[in-house]
Amino acid sequence: DSGVTQTPKHLITATGQRVTLRCSPRSGDLSVYWYQQSLDQGLQFLIQYYNGEERAKGNILERFSAQQFPDLHSELNLSSLELGDSALYFCASSVGGRDKETQYFGPGTRLLVL
Amino acid sequence: AQSVTQLGSHVSVSEGALVLLRCNYSSSVPPYLFWYVQYPNQGLQLLLKYTSAATLVKGINGFEAEFKKSETSFHLTKPSAHMSDAAEYFCAVITSGAGSYQLTFGKGTKLSVIP
């Protein structure tokens, strides 16, 4: 158990809908990362937050957005969903978002768009 | 941009045999490298990481990796495979920009262990 929790574990929805994925980092970690794992794209970095502020953006679509709240949990919002958004979405956390730090991954949310 | 390449999307070994999973990096500066393992229907777990201290890094579950600058490699090895090692393994490098650091992953190598 990494200490990172993600809800829900599974999500099935329809095209055009909007969903919210939730992540709680390990106790004491200030940095949260979101990654997407799909069969065709592999594991890709989406976005990083540090202590409530956006730190970096990766291959995140404009239909996707995220935020980190004062209690440090984070939410990833996916809107106008398409079939191709079906994937496993991971959240990871680290202490300060620095280069040598280990990122601890949650169990993921499996999203299926029908 | 820093990247990693994992050679072999599938590797099969017999139980008790040597495990060798290959990873080569592309970086103009000394990289920070990681190996993660993903068991079926689970998240990623860190096996080990290289952060420019010792070139031979020991990790969990008997795995180790050696950083070889001359070969730009960071191959993962285990002397004797166990059935429980069957999983997908990802090599990753830290990429940075404007004060932020993210993991860039290889495409993964699925390890099968044959009894």
Side-chain angles (χ1 to χ4, degrees):
Chain A
D1 184 356
S2 67
V4 179
T5 60
Q6 290 187 247
T7 56
K9 285 189 177 180
H10 301 276
L11 203 45
I12 301 175
T13 188
T15 55
Q17 295 298 305
R18 172 189 168 95
V19 297
T20 297
L21 313 183
R22 183 188 168 102
C23 167
S24 293
R26 294 187 322 151
S27 177
D29 284 359
L30 299 178
S31 195
V32 169
Y33 310 76
W34 286 96
Y35 293 85
Q36 179 195 58
Q37 184 179 32
S38 62
L39 285 174
D40 53 346
Q41 299 291 331
L43 266 163
Q44 287 196 106
F45 166 71
L46 294 178
I47 196 164
Q48 179 198 2
Y49 277 80
Y50 174 77
N51 203 21
E53 300 286 329
E54 182 184 301
R55 175 70 68 88
K57 272 187 172 180
N59 297 319
I60 188 166
L61 300 171
E62 285 192 10
R63 300 182 285 108
F64 295 1
S65 64
Q67 53 185 324
Q68 187 179 27
F69 295 86
D71 67 353
L72 301 177
H73 90 272
S74 177
E75 292 181 356
L76 179 67
N77 300 296
L78 315 177
S79 61
S80 303
L81 286 167
E82 302 175 359
L83 296 178
D85 298 329
S86 296
L88 194 50
Y89 291 85
F90 286 111
C91 166
S93 73
S94 69
V95 174
R98 305 185 77 82
D99 50 5
K100 294 183 182 181
E101 292 175 359
T102 297
Q103 293 182 27
Y104 294 90
F105 282 74
T109 293
R110 188 173 295 276
L111 173 66
L112 180 59
V113 182
L114 300 175
Chain B
Q2 293 160 319
S3 64
V4 290
T5 302
Q6 291 183 243
L7 299 176
S9 57
H10 288 87
V11 170
S12 289
V13 300
S14 297
E15 191 174 15
L18 171 72
V19 176
L20 171 60
L21 304 182
R22 300 177 187 274
C23 173
N24 287 89
Y25 67 89
S26 170
S27 174
S28 58
V29 297
Y32 296 132
L33 294 159
F34 301 75
W35 275 101
Y36 280 86
V37 60
Q38 184 178 25
Y39 297 102
N41 300 313
Q42 293 188 30
L44 289 96
Q45 181 182 7
L46 179 72
L47 278 176
L48 49 82
K49 66 179 181 182
Y50 169 75
T51 57
S52 73
T55 55
L56 182 62
V57 183
K58 293 188 185 296
I60 63 170
N61 302 338
F63 284 93
E64 63 181 37
E66 186 172 7
F67 175 76
K68 290 188 177 180
K69 185 177 178 181
S70 61
E71 299 178 6
T72 61
S73 68
F74 189 57
H75 302 332
L76 182 70
T77 60
K78 181 173 180 177
S80 177
H82 192 271
M83 296 298 293
S84 61
D85 295 326
E88 190 156 20
Y89 293 79
F90 292 92
C91 181
V93 65
I94 283 289
T95 54
S96 61
S100 69
Y101 305 93
Q102 312 94 41
L103 287 167
T104 296
F105 287 90
K107 293 190 180 298
T109 297
K110 191 164 288 188
L111 175 67
S112 298
V113 182
I114 305 164

